[in-house]
């Protein structure tokens, strides 16, 4: 069973930066996998914002494209989300997730971290 633990959240002002980390331990049963970041703001649904697959390809939601960068270490044991030019609308709980990767798609739903809060406010 895989465990995911996020850290790095906090309170910042608009325009500032934060880097989130997600440490992965254990393993999934997936032959190939994706790792990603999701967020959920109060009163809103959880949304996927960035992910990276086993082929190294990255994808971003339009709302964060050009400002956020997803990466992982060589061992694929730690996932990062570097967030620049933060806006008030980025305020949310941020979650790390692991998914099965098949046929070019990621299938999310079974493996989530506990979340780390990001608050952007002046």
């Amino acid at each position: 069973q895989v465990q995911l633990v996020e850290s790095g959240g906090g309170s910042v002002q608009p325009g500032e930066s934060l880097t989130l980390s997600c440490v992965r331990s254990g393993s999934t049963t997936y032959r190939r996998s994706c790792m990603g970041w999701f967020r959920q703001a109060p009163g809103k649904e959880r949304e996927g914002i960035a992910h990276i697959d086993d082929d190294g390809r990255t994808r971003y939601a339009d709302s964060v494209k050009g400002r956020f960068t997803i990466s992982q270490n060589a061992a694929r044991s730690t996932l990062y989300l570097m967030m620049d030019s933060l806006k008030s609308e980025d305020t949310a709980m941020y979650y790390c997730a692991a998914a099965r990767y098949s046929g070019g798609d990621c299938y999310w739903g079974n493996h989530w971290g506990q979340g780390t809060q990001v608050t952007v406010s002046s």
Side-chain angles (χ1 to χ4, degrees), residues 74-97:
R76 298 183 181 180
S77 60
T78 305
L79 183 72
Y80 301 99
L81 185 69
M82 185 169 64
M83 305 184 294
D84 295 322
S85 303
L86 283 161
K87 305 175 182 179
S88 58
E89 51 262 45
D90 294 318
T91 295
M93 185 70 78
Y94 283 70
Y95 298 90
C96 171

Side-chain angles (χ1 to χ4, degrees), residues 1-80:
Q1 182 74 4
V2 66
Q3 290 82 42
L4 304 170
V5 180
E6 303 95 333
S7 62
S11 295
V12 297
Q13 295 188 345
E16 293 186 339
S17 300
L18 272 179
T19 296
L20 306 183
S21 300
C22 171
V23 176
R24 172 179 177 171
S25 60
S27 61
T28 68
T29 59
Y30 307 144
R31 188 172 68 87
R32 306 194 77 196
S33 63
C34 302
M35 293 293 297
W37 289 96
F38 290 70
R39 67 184 181 187
Q40 187 168 20
K44 295 188 177 181
E45 293 187 354
R46 188 174 297 190
E47 64 168 335
I49 55 173
H51 72 260
I52 184 166
D53 61 37
D54 267 359
D55 292 324
R57 292 177 298 192
T58 58
R59 294 186 183 177
Y60 298 90
D62 288 343
S63 58
V64 306
K65 199 173 294 182
R67 299 188 298 122
F68 290 11
T69 303
I70 188 171
S71 63
Q72 55 188 355
N73 65 352
R76 298 183 181 180
S77 60
T78 305
L79 183 72
Y80 301 99

